[in-house]
Amino acid sequence: MLSQFIGMRSDKVMNPIERGAVKKFAEAIGDPHPLYFDEETGKNSIHQCNIAPPTFAITLDYGIIPNLQRIGAGLIHGEQQFHYQRPLHVGEKIQCYQQITDYYEKKGKLGEMGFLVAEKRGLNEDGHFIFAMKQVVILNETIRRGLKS
Amino acid sequence: MIPILWDLEVGDTLPEIQLPPVTRIDLIKYAGASGDYNPIHTIDDEAKKAGLPGVIAHGMWTMGNLAKLFTPYLEKGFIQDYQVRFMGMVFLEDRITLKATVKATEESKVTFSVKAVNEADQEILAGHIVYQVF
């Protein structure tokens, strides 16, 4: 039923990696290391700049898959993967997009569940691959019934 | 004592981190910093409407916290792969412990199995991290 979304892809969205956003995020996960936001620490580090924590990429804007956005409340995050070519640099701009790569249904102890798989990518301004992430989101029967209407 | 990355052998563990009991402010801060305003993470009534006993932490809050095990190595390389499955819920006041064990070592990579458990030793999430050493 959600299979119709497989293969659909969003337009790219440019995301500046902002120092303030990275700092707030690092604080929110209890990991306020100065390498994430202090300019001097960044310059003098092996990275030669400030970097973002690996899960910061979850906060970026990956663009919209039409009609999929109305699935909201009640989703369960089942699985999450990140793969980095290198860490994100504070101050750079990353182009992000997402694609729905799979949808399948399985019977579990809570009834029939739907599994929606999205792959998201971040490229630098020259179009070079920086990171990818894969998310598996679980939809229970109630949500899927709502979507049919 | 933080072990040196290239001295690690299969079966070695990183020093565990025990998080302070989860507070509502932790989750409000994470909602703001991440942009995930799903109210089941911050507002009790909304959590109850969703059939939960109370608010639960964002799965990504726990996943974000777990990466802290590797903060002592920020200058030694970077997390190249980080994968988890979300297996259990985190409620307010829960005490979460973060763990990493070496699963494999290669020339410039160390693979860890990682997990977060609550005080009843139930797995909240489990997965792996591949650390790329410079």
Side-chain angles (χ1 to χ4, degrees), chain A residues 76-138:
Chain A
I76 303 160
H77 198 171
E79 189 179 336
Q80 177 71 34
Q81 288 181 23
F82 295 93
H83 173 76
Y84 281 93
Q85 198 67 31
R86 61 154 171 81
L88 288 172
H89 295 165
V90 169
E92 72 176 333
K93 286 182 180 159
I94 297 287
Q95 317 177 63
C96 297
Y97 67 94
Q98 60 176 321
Q99 185 166 21
I100 302 302
T101 54
D102 202 4
Y103 176 75
Y104 52 92
E105 292 176 357
K106 270 201 288 200
K107 263 209 163 49
K109 38 180 194 231
L110 301 170
E112 183 136 295
M113 309 292 261
F115 295 78
L116 190 67
V117 184
E119 286 188 19
K120 304 185 175 184
R121 276 168 188 256
L123 314 173
N124 71 4
E125 282 184 282
D126 302 329
H128 290 120
F129 172 83
I130 304 298
F131 73 90
M133 68 188 210
K134 186 175 139 188
Q135 284 176 304
V136 183
V137 170
I138 305 170

Side-chain angles (χ1 to χ4, degrees), chain A residues 18-20 22-24 26-27 31-45 47-52 90, chain B residues 75:
Chain A
E18 294 165 2
R19 185 179 309 279
V22 169
K23 185 177 186 205
K24 275 210 181 75
E27 286 168 351
D31 191 15
H33 193 284
L35 180 55
Y36 296 135
F37 48 79
D38 180 70
E39 258 187 284
E40 281 304 304
T41 307
K43 268 187 213 153
N44 296 326
S45 77
H47 304 275
Q48 297 179 318
C49 63
N50 297 113
I51 62 169
V90 169
Chain B
E75 292 262 15

